[in-house]
Amino acid sequence: MEARERGAGREAILRAALRRIGRDALRAVTHRDVAPEPGVSLGATTYHFASKDELLTEALLLFVAEETERLEAVAAAFEEGDLDADAA
């Protein structure tokens, strides 16, 4: 498997974990429950994330990074005058 494919699988697992968190809260996220959504094996989830805590930490870090990027783009558009307060 190419590194890019491994990374894509890892990201798919993280995104599945985030969806699961959104639907059912943090306590509902397990390797076993997350694996079917991106179509990976239970072994793939444990290969990428040794524990539930690691899976949750990495998923939440992905969410925070993307949300920070989104908010920085909104702030930049607002500062440049491309966005007004109502649209923001």
Side-chain angles (χ1 to χ4, degrees), residues 21-77:
I21 291 167
R23 282 193 306 265
D24 303 317
L26 287 171
R27 69 181 178 284
V29 177
T30 65
H31 285 86
R32 187 174 308 282
D33 292 332
V34 169
E37 191 167 331
V40 300
S41 68
L42 177 59
T45 64
T46 58
Y47 171 79
H48 290 291
F49 308 99
S51 68
K52 176 181 173 177
D53 286 343
E54 184 180 344
L55 173 60
L56 291 172
T57 298
E58 292 297 319
L60 293 172
L61 286 171
L62 174 64
F63 171 77
V64 168
E66 290 181 343
E67 192 64 9
T68 299
E69 186 178 312
R70 185 188 70 80
L71 291 171
E72 286 173 347
V74 169

Side-chain angles (χ1 to χ4, degrees), residues 75-88:
F78 186 73
E79 287 176 2
E80 293 170 7
D82 296 337
L83 187 66
D84 63 17
D86 292 331

